[in-house]
Amino acid sequence: MAERIEQRLEDRVPELEQLERVGLFTHKEIRAVLRKASALEYKIQRRALRKEDFINYIQYEINLLELIKKRRARIGYPFKKDEIEHSILHRVHSLFNRATGKWKDDVQLWLSHVAYCQQWNAKHQLSKVFSTMLAIHSNKPALWIMAAKWEMETRLSSESARHLFLRALRFHPECPKLYQEYFRMELMHAEKQRKERKEFEQAKIDLGEFKYSEEILNGEMARIVYREAAQKIKGVEFQLAVLSIAKLFDFTQDLQKEILESLQTNYAEDPLTWDYLARRELELGSLQPPEHTTKQKKVSEVAQREERCCAVFDEAVAAVPTEDMWKCYITFCLERYNRKTNSEELKQKRLERTLSVFNKAHESNLLPEALYKQWVQLLLQSRLSGKAVEVAEAATRRFSLSVETWQVRLQVLIQLQREDVTQCFEEAIKHLESKGTLPLWTLWVEWSEGTNSKEDTEALYQKSLHATAPAESVTMKEMYLDWTYRNGGYKKVKKVFTSLCENRPFSLNFFRKMIQIEKEQDSCKMLNLREYYERALREFGSTDTDLWLDYIKEELNHPRGKPENCGSIHWRAMKMLQGDLVEDFVSKYTLLQTGHL
C-alpha cells in the first residue's frame, strides 16, 4: 500500500514543480500540498473504505483547482495548463470513478461527478459518466431527462437526445414527464431547423441537393410523440401539460388544435378541461393596437373577457355539476377579485360575480366544505355581516359533524359580538363527538375569559376536562392551570394542580408550568419543587433526560437544596431511562459536572 501511495505522490511532482517554477505557489505551499495529499491518499487506500474520505479528497482537489485559477488571474499567467490543471482534473475523475464504482447506488455522488464535468467543460468524460450512470440507474426518469437535455442543449445533438429518450421510454413506457420532455425536444429541434433555413435563405446560400423536411419543420415528429403518448397516458393533466409546451412555439397552431380537440372529445366530463377552456378566453387579445386603447377601454375589455370566461364556466357547471367543477369556477372568481385594479366599477362587478357564484354553488348543494370559510371571510370583508352569519349557519347544517365548520361559525359570532355565542357552542358540542373537539373548547374558554365571570369560566374549564377525549384534556389542563394562576393566585393554583393530578393523562408542560409558578414565588419552597419533580418523573422519568438533569440542578442551586441527593437521583435515572437515553443522560451529566451545561 505504501509503495502505491508513494507512486501517486511521485506522479504529482511534475505539476507541483511547474506550480513553483511559474510562481503560482511558493515552496512552503508546495510542501503543505504534498503533506495534505499524502494524508488523503492513505485514507482512500485503507481496507475499510469510507465515502467521506473520497468526498474530502475530491473537494480538496477542486479547491486546489479554484485556487490555481484565482492565482493565474491575479498574476496574469495563462500558460502551462496542460502540465498543471490537466493532471489534477484527470485525478479528480479517477477519484469519482473509484467512488461511484464502490457506492453505485448513491445518486448524489453521480450527480456531483456530472456537475464537476459541466463546471470544467469535460464533455467527453461527461458522456461516459452519463452512459455508466444510466446503465446502473435506468429506473430513474429524471436522470434520462438530464442526459438528453445535455445532449440537446450543450452538445447540440438532437439525434443523441432522441436516442436517449427512446431508450428511456423502453424502461418507462408510461412516464408522463419523459413524454413531455421528449415532445419539447422535438419542437426545439424543429424550431432550430426553421431558424437555420431562414438564415440560409437570408444569406442566399445554395444548399445544393440538401433540403429541409417540411414535416419536421412543422413539428410532425412532436405530433407522433404526442399521439403515441396519448394512447398510453390517460388523464387531462398530461394533455394540458403538452398543450402548454406546444404554446411556447409559434408554428404549432395545428398541433395545438389537435390536442384541444382531443381534450374536448375524450375529457369533456373533467373539470380541468372546462377550467382550461374558460381561462383560455382571457388570453384572446384585443383587435385594437395597445397604443390606441384608453384606460376605460382596457377596463371594458377586461370585463368582457371575464364575462366570456364566466359564460364558459356557467356552461361547465350545467354540463358537469360536481363539487370540483364549482371549485374551479369559484377559484377563478376569487383570483380575479384579488387582482389589483384602479377601477372601482370593475372591482365591484368582480365581487358581485364571486358572491353570486358562491350562492349558486350553495343552492346546488355542491359547495365544498373548505370554500364556506372563504365565502364567510369575503362577506365579512364586504361588511355583509348578516349574510355571513346566515352562511356560517347553513354550513353547519350541511356539515354538522365538521369541527372546522363549527369553528368558522363561532368565530364569526364572536367577531360580531353576538349574544347567541354560548348557545351556539352548546349546539356544536351536542352535534360532535368528544374526540376532535379540542379547537372548540379552547375557543370557548378563551372567549369566556374575556367575556364571562371568573366563576363561569372556571365551571367551563371543569366541564371541558370531562367533555374532551383523554388525550385532548391534557391541553385543557395546561390552560386551566395557567388561567387559575393569572386570576386566582398561587394558593388557588396549588389546589387546582392537586385536584388535576388525580386524573391522568398529563403532559410534561403541565408539570413544568407548575414548577415555573413555584419558582416565581418570593418564598420558593424546595419541598414543593421536589413534589412536582417527583410527580413529573413518575409519568415521564423513563423518556425524558432533561427532567432528571433539571431536578439535579435544582438540588445543586436552590438555597434549600440538598446536593447529597444528586447521587440517588442519578442512580434512579440510570435505572428508569430506556435505551439510548441512558448514554445521552450520562454525557449531559458529565457536562453538568464539568460546568459546561
Side-chain angles (χ1 to χ4, degrees):
M1 184 177 80
E3 290 177 2
R4 194 183 305 143
I5 292 169
E6 286 301 320
Q7 181 60 49
R8 288 179 181 277
L9 293 174
E10 283 178 19
D11 291 341
R12 281 177 171 268
V13 171
E15 77 198 48
L16 294 174
E17 286 177 347
Q18 288 287 3
L19 282 168
E20 186 178 358
R21 191 178 67 78
V22 300
L24 290 172
F25 279 38
T26 64
H27 182 70
K28 187 178 177 182
E29 287 172 332
I30 294 297
R31 289 176 64 84
V33 169
L34 268 173
R35 280 197 302 273
K36 183 67 176 175
S38 177
L40 291 168
E41 281 289 348
Y42 270 102
K43 285 183 178 179
I44 66 164
Q45 296 298 337
R46 292 185 299 196
R47 185 167 294 177
L49 297 176
R50 295 193 317 147
K51 192 195 304 179
E52 292 75 17
D53 294 332
F54 279 89
I55 292 170
N56 291 338
Y57 197 171
I58 289 166
Q59 190 59 57
Y60 176 74
E61 294 288 7
I62 291 172
N63 292 344
L64 190 63
L65 280 169
E66 292 290 347
L67 182 58
I68 293 169
K69 187 177 177 182
K70 287 178 181 177
R71 294 271 177 96
R72 282 185 179 281
R74 192 177 69 192
I75 67 172
Y77 185 82
F79 309 107
K80 301 287 183 182
K81 288 190 176 182
D82 285 346
E83 290 90 337
I84 299 171
E85 278 93 338
H86 181 74
S87 60
I88 301 175
L89 290 168
H90 179 71
R91 188 159 53 249
V92 174
H93 285 305
S94 299
L95 288 167
F96 267 122
N97 289 336
R98 279 188 66 191
T100 52
K102 175 71 175 173
W103 296 281
K104 294 183 176 69
D105 293 335
D106 191 337
V107 177
Q108 192 56 51
L109 204 55
W110 287 100
L111 294 178
S112 297
H113 196 181
V114 168
Y116 171 74
C117 293
Q118 288 175 333
Q119 183 183 358
W120 295 97
N121 201 28
K123 293 183 181 179
H124 179 68
Q125 189 68 32
L126 182 52
S127 186
K128 288 182 179 179
V129 173
F130 273 130
S131 179
T132 312
M133 179 175 68
L134 292 174
I136 295 167
H137 294 284
S138 57
N139 60 332
K140 294 178 174 61
L143 299 182
W144 288 99
I145 292 169
M146 181 192 289
K149 187 178 179 183
W150 177 74
E151 289 286 355
M152 181 70 188
E153 296 179 3
T154 306
R155 297 191 71 187
L156 305 176
S157 173
S158 53
E159 193 61 42
S160 298
R162 185 180 297 117
H163 180 65
L164 279 169
F165 275 121
L166 291 171
R167 280 180 62 201
L169 288 169
R170 283 204 290 272
F171 289 101
H172 308 279
E174 295 181 0
C175 177
K177 190 64 180 174
L178 267 175
Y179 273 110
Q180 288 169 32
E181 295 304 321
Y182 186 14
F183 180 77
R184 189 197 306 272
M185 186 278 293
E186 290 295 358
L187 289 176
M188 286 170 67
H189 175 59
E191 185 179 49
K192 177 185 164 188
Q193 290 215 337
R194 290 171 77 91
K195 286 179 179 176
E196 282 179 5
R197 187 176 73 168
K198 187 177 179 181
E199 286 171 5
F200 282 134
E201 287 174 353
Q202 287 175 347
K204 297 180 180 178
I205 296 173
D206 184 17
L207 299 175
E209 295 182 1
F210 177 78
K211 288 184 179 179
Y212 285 96
S213 167
E214 286 297 327
E215 290 184 341
I216 292 176
L217 292 175
N218 292 328
E220 196 60 36
M221 293 291 286
R223 191 190 301 271
I224 293 168
V225 173
Y226 162 70
R227 287 175 179 173
E228 180 70 21
Q231 291 177 2
K232 294 180 180 179
I233 300 169
K234 304 301 176 186
V236 70
E237 293 86 356
F238 175 74
Q239 299 279 341
L240 291 174
V242 171
L243 185 55
S244 67
I245 293 169
K247 286 169 71 176
L248 299 172
F249 301 87
D250 56 8
F251 57 89
T252 60
Q253 282 76 14
D254 290 343
L255 184 54
Q256 290 179 45
K257 188 177 178 184
E258 181 179 331
I259 298 170
L260 201 57
E261 286 173 358
S262 173
L263 262 176
Q264 291 173 298
T265 305
N266 300 323
Y267 302 98
E269 299 295 311
D270 197 301
L272 290 177
T273 302
W274 285 100
D275 187 54
Y276 173 79
L277 293 172
R279 290 172 183 271
R280 189 162 157 263
E281 296 294 327
L282 286 174
E283 298 171 10
L284 300 176
S286 170
L287 297 175
Q288 198 168 1
E291 58 270 17
H292 300 300
T293 307
T294 62
K295 285 186 178 180
Q296 187 61 37
K297 284 184 179 178
K298 282 182 181 177
V299 169
S300 174
E301 187 188 332
V302 169
Q304 287 174 8
R305 290 186 194 180
E306 290 178 1
E307 288 296 336
R308 291 202 300 270
C309 291
C310 290
V312 176
F313 272 120
D314 287 332
E315 186 184 343
V317 292
V320 188
T322 63
E323 282 193 4
D324 287 340
M325 191 66 256
W326 279 105
K327 185 179 180 181
C328 289
Y329 194 176
I330 290 167
T331 302
F332 168 78
C333 291
L334 287 170
E335 283 175 12
R336 300 310 296 178
Y337 173 71
N338 291 325
R339 282 180 73 89
K340 290 184 179 178
T341 177
N342 294 326
S343 170
E344 287 299 322
E345 182 187 350
L346 181 59
K347 192 161 185 67
Q348 185 61 30
K349 190 178 286 187
R350 285 171 173 172
L351 174 62
E352 289 171 4
R353 181 193 300 128
T354 306
L355 294 175
S356 171
V357 173
F358 266 121
N359 201 49
K360 287 177 184 175
H362 167 66
E363 289 173 355
S364 305
N365 285 328
L366 291 172
L367 184 61
E369 181 188 344
L371 290 178
Y372 272 100
K373 183 176 182 180
Q374 289 181 270
W375 188 9
V376 169
Q377 288 172 343
L378 187 60
L379 288 166
L380 290 173
Q381 285 173 15
S382 308
R383 298 180 181 175
L384 299 169
S385 54
K387 181 67 175 173
V389 173
E390 286 178 27
V391 168
E393 186 179 346
T396 53
R397 280 201 302 271
R398 187 167 169 217
F399 301 100
S400 60
L401 299 178
S402 168
V403 174
E404 291 79 10
T405 305
W406 281 104
Q407 201 173 353
V408 169
R409 181 180 172 187
L410 288 161
Q411 284 168 343
V412 170
L413 295 177
I414 290 169
Q415 185 177 334
L416 298 174
Q417 299 181 344
R418 297 285 291 255
E419 295 178 356
D420 53 346
V421 175
T422 303
Q423 182 186 339
C424 185
F425 270 117
E426 290 171 352
E427 186 185 347
I429 298 301
K430 194 185 296 181
H431 276 90
L432 298 164
E433 297 176 5
S434 61
K435 190 176 180 182
T437 56
L438 179 62
L440 296 186
W441 282 107
T442 53
L443 183 64
W444 196 354
V445 294
E446 284 168 2
W447 169 77
S448 181
E449 284 176 20
T451 310
N452 296 339
S453 65
K454 291 180 183 179
E455 292 77 15
D456 290 343
T457 303
E458 185 166 13
L460 189 59
Y461 268 116
Q462 290 176 350
K463 183 180 177 182
S464 71
L465 296 174
H466 300 294
T468 51
E472 294 176 339
S473 69
V474 166
T475 306
M476 297 310 301
K477 285 177 184 176
E478 291 176 30
M479 292 179 69
Y480 187 15
L481 202 67
D482 187 53
W483 174 82
T484 305
Y485 181 54
R486 284 188 281 110
N487 293 276
Y490 175 68
K491 287 185 179 178
K492 176 76 173 173
V493 80
K494 255 194 105 175
K495 288 180 184 177
V496 169
F497 174 77
T498 306
S499 67
L500 291 176
C501 282
E502 292 174 5
N503 296 305
R504 286 184 172 88
F506 309 109
S507 69
L508 185 57
N509 271 344
F510 172 70
F511 293 107
R512 287 198 179 279
K513 198 178 285 287
M514 193 60 213
I515 290 166
Q516 187 59 39
I517 289 169
E518 182 66 43
K519 288 166 80 171
E520 286 174 8
Q521 305 312 307
D522 294 334
S523 57
C524 173
K525 294 181 180 178
M526 188 63 205
L527 196 65
N528 291 337
L529 286 174
R530 283 197 192 100
E531 180 196 341
Y532 305 146
Y533 272 113
E534 290 295 341
R535 284 180 182 273
L537 289 169
R538 280 200 290 273
E539 303 296 328
F540 303 100
S542 61
T543 56
D544 194 284
T545 57
D546 291 337
L547 194 60
W548 291 101
L549 291 163
D550 290 343
Y551 191 7
I552 292 170
K553 284 182 198 174
E554 215 66 64
E555 290 287 10
L556 290 170
N557 301 328
H558 195 278
R560 296 293 180 88
K562 293 182 179 178
E564 62 267 24
N565 289 349
C566 294
S568 63
I569 296 170
H570 178 274
W571 182 83
R572 287 169 57 202
M574 297 292 286
K575 291 290 182 185
M576 280 190 74
L577 288 167
Q578 298 172 352
D580 296 337
L581 292 173
V582 176
E583 190 179 334
D584 185 38
F585 173 74
V586 169
S587 61
K588 286 181 178 177
Y589 184 67
T590 307
L591 289 171
L592 179 64
Q593 285 181 312
T594 55
H596 292 94
L597 189 65

